[in-house]
Each structure stands twice: as C-alpha cells, then as structure tokens.
Amino acid sequence: MSEGVDKQAVKDYLTDLHDRITERLEMLDGGTRFRRDTWEREQGGGGDSRVLSDGALFERGGVNFSHVMGDALPATASARRPELAGRSFEAMGVSLVMHPHNPYVPTSHMNVRFFVAEKAGEAPVWWFGGGFDLTPYYGFDEDCRHWHETARQACVHFGPEVYADYKRWCDEYFFLKHRNEPRGIGGLFFDDVNHWDFPTSFAFMRSVGDHYLPAYEPIVQRRRDHDYGEREREFQLYRRGRYVEFNLVYDRGTLFGLQSGGRTESILMSLPPRVRWEYDYHPEPGSPEAELYERYLVARDWV
C-alpha cells in the first residue's frame, strides 16, 4: 500500500488544479478577480487563498490551496485512526465554495486532498479524500441529472460500484442531523481512499477534481440570468443558514483546519457573506420553496 508514494506529483497536480479553476471561475464571473493571499503556517507549511467578493455572478467565492505539516495529527484525524498517534503528517489539498448572487444558481463545493503520516522505521500511511456537492435554493431536474451524471463519469473507470458508493456516502455525510435534512442534492464524497495502489488512488482523486467544472459550469450558464425578486433572495439567505450550520458543526475539513492550527481566514472563507435565520419557518404549501424540500432535499437517484 505504501510503495510508490509521490508527494511532489500530488502537489504539482493540486497547484495546477488551483490555477485552472481560479482562472475559469474568474472568466465565468466576468466582473471581478480573485484576491490572492499567500500565507505561512508557524508549525509548518502554508497555502494560497483566493477569494472573490461581490462579483457580477458570485457574491462570495473562495478557492484555497494548502500544504501543511506537523509533528502530530490533530484529534479529528487521530480519533478515527488511532494507529496514527505519534506520527508526523503532511496534508495538502484544494478546496472551494462558490456562493452566487442569483438564488437560481446553486452554491457549489469541491475539495480534493491527500494525507500522509510518517514515522521513522515504518512505512508511511497515506490516503486521499474529497468530492463535490451541490446546494440549490430552487430545484431543476435537468441540473440535478447533469450534476450526478458528471459525478458518475468521474467514477466510471474505477469500478461499477464506485459512483453509487460515494454518492451514498455524500448523502450521508452532508446531512444535518439536528435538522433531519440534507444540505443539498449531494454528489460525491470519499475519504481514507488507499484500497487501490497509489497510482490508481491518485488517478481517482484527479478525476474528481477535473470533473468539478464540467459539472458546475453548464448549470451556472443556464441559471445565471434567471429573474428573481426579494422573495427568492430572502429564501436563499435563509437556506444559507443551513450551510453555515453544517460547516461549523460537522465538517471534517473545518474541524481539522482549526484543530491543526490552520489559518482561520482561509478555513472560514467558505461561509457566505450574508445569511439569515427565521424562527420555525415553514414554506407555503405548493410553492417553489416547498418543492425544494419535497422533491430535492431527499436522497434519490438522479442517473
């Protein structure tokens, strides 16, 4: 399992992906550019955070690359993998969240990451993780089918059950237990991937990273000019509250970053700039807002 680990190849891919996605999202927005902010971490490593604010299309977007290291894994990692206690680690990845102005354009999230934990005299322990998921405010079957078909294509060369397994894991992971509802329509989620050899595992991670833009861009182009008013905007801000709740309560990446002494500004850049909560809200029966809950915020097969 540990033979042929090439950390530099992974880093080269991630930095290239970071650049490609940033460039394409800037072109999609067409109104402003990402602010680029390189940073160093006192305990080792650093990153490159790119944040877009108040653009023509996106109200807030962040695309972050980080490569951090340390003498011991934080509790979020070692609690699940106690055999890693006492090992040094390196973690690198690209993560992004895009929050549009228009409520008819979904929020999207993607991340791909690589961990390796090492100890003198022992083979390194490594794994890949990541995925992408979509959070619409108003649902369209066409968009859901496209998103999940692209996710399926990302997995098709790695086995007949891979899409179904990681789609199910995504549905289970991006679920707000205290609300008893999913965050969105899902996509893919995988972690601890090292059951293939290193080249295959790395190829799968690359496939997921490379399929994000083909999954998201056509949806953005279809919905970006959709008319909306105050009602849709208020509902979008209300639903964004679920996004904040998930990231601060459940998200492994957020918890890992904070517990490992990461850069807080970069870790929390995924939070939307405007959000609201409303006490005991229930959508009007028969409304498009009710349809989101009844048809789209349920685990279902779209392909």
Side-chain angles (χ1 to χ4, degrees):
M1 186 179 71
S2 61
E3 294 180 1
V5 174
D6 190 340
K7 293 186 285 188
Q8 188 60 49
V10 177
K11 185 173 183 179
D12 289 345
Y13 168 75
L14 291 171
T15 54
D16 177 69
L17 180 70
H18 191 214
D19 289 338
R20 286 189 283 123
I21 288 178
T22 302
E23 179 181 355
R24 187 60 198 161
L25 291 174
E26 279 185 344
M27 293 177 64
L28 264 179
D29 185 87
T32 190
R33 298 177 65 85
F34 282 89
R35 168 185 167 180
R36 288 155 168 80
D37 190 5
T38 57
W39 50 275
E40 294 184 358
R41 177 174 170 271
E42 184 177 347
Q43 300 93 328
D48 180 352
S49 297
R50 300 175 183 180
V51 178
L52 186 154
S53 297
D54 200 24
L57 170 64
F58 296 111
E59 187 172 5
R60 171 70 52 78
V63 188
N64 189 41
F65 166 77
S66 62
H67 179 198
V68 302
M69 56 213 65
D71 294 332
L73 282 160
T76 50
S78 58
R80 293 187 300 115
R81 302 284 291 269
E83 72 274 17
L84 301 180
R87 286 177 175 257
S88 63
F89 76 94
E90 291 186 51
M92 61 183 81
V94 169
S95 61
L96 70 88
V97 177
M98 303 304 297
H99 293 289
H101 286 287
N102 192 319
Y104 288 95
V105 182
T107 286
S108 69
H109 161 258
M110 187 278 291
N111 80 90
V112 284
R113 57 189 181 272
F114 174 66
F115 287 84
V116 59
E118 299 176 285
K119 190 174 184 178
E122 298 184 19
V125 178
W126 56 268
W127 65 90
F128 291 93
F132 50 67
D133 67 287
L134 194 70
T135 306
Y137 306 97
Y138 291 89
F140 297 90
D141 286 15
E142 178 186 15
D143 296 350
C144 297
R145 286 193 295 266
H146 171 78
W147 181 260
H148 277 279
E149 175 58 28
T150 309
R152 191 186 70 82
Q153 289 295 326
C155 302
V156 70
H157 297 298
F158 298 90
E161 302 301 322
V162 173
Y163 165 72
D165 288 346
Y166 293 155
K167 188 264 187 193
R168 186 183 312 110
W169 199 353
C170 188
D171 289 339
E172 294 170 354
Y173 179 71
F174 290 106
F175 190 85
L176 289 85
K177 300 178 184 65
H178 64 286
R179 298 284 190 181
N180 194 34
E181 65 183 46
R183 188 169 81 173
I185 66 158
L188 299 171
F189 179 85
F190 64 98
D191 206 358
D192 302 319
V193 166
N194 59 13
H195 54 278
W196 297 306
D197 60 17
F198 180 85
T200 304
S201 301
F202 182 24
F204 177 68
M205 186 267 274
R206 295 198 307 270
S207 184
V208 172
D210 291 343
H211 277 80
Y212 164 73
L213 284 173
Y216 190 46
E217 184 173 349
I219 297 172
V220 171
Q221 299 287 30
R222 277 197 293 267
R223 309 301 169 197
R224 63 183 300 165
D225 296 321
H226 199 298
D227 290 337
Y228 68 92
E230 183 179 355
R231 171 177 173 160
E232 291 92 341
R233 176 64 169 168
E234 288 293 293
F235 184 64
Q236 178 198 45
L237 298 184
Y238 172 75
R239 289 298 309 170
R240 281 179 176 178
R242 301 295 203 267
Y243 211 93
V244 173
E245 290 175 22
F246 181 87
N247 275 35
L248 295 182
V249 177
Y250 299 112
D251 187 70
R252 290 181 186 175
T254 301
L255 297 175
F256 176 87
L258 295 174
Q259 291 185 3
S260 61
R263 183 173 183 265
T264 301
E265 287 297 311
S266 298
I267 296 164
L268 299 182
M269 72 178 185
S270 63
L271 299 181
R274 294 176 179 85
V275 63
R276 74 183 186 92
W277 280 265
E278 183 173 330
Y279 180 74
D280 199 26
Y281 168 80
H282 297 282
E284 180 183 342
S287 67
E289 293 80 13
E291 185 183 39
L292 178 75
Y293 289 88
E294 294 162 3
R295 179 165 180 79
Y296 298 98
L297 295 184
V298 293
R300 57 184 298 174
D301 294 326
W302 287 102
V303 298

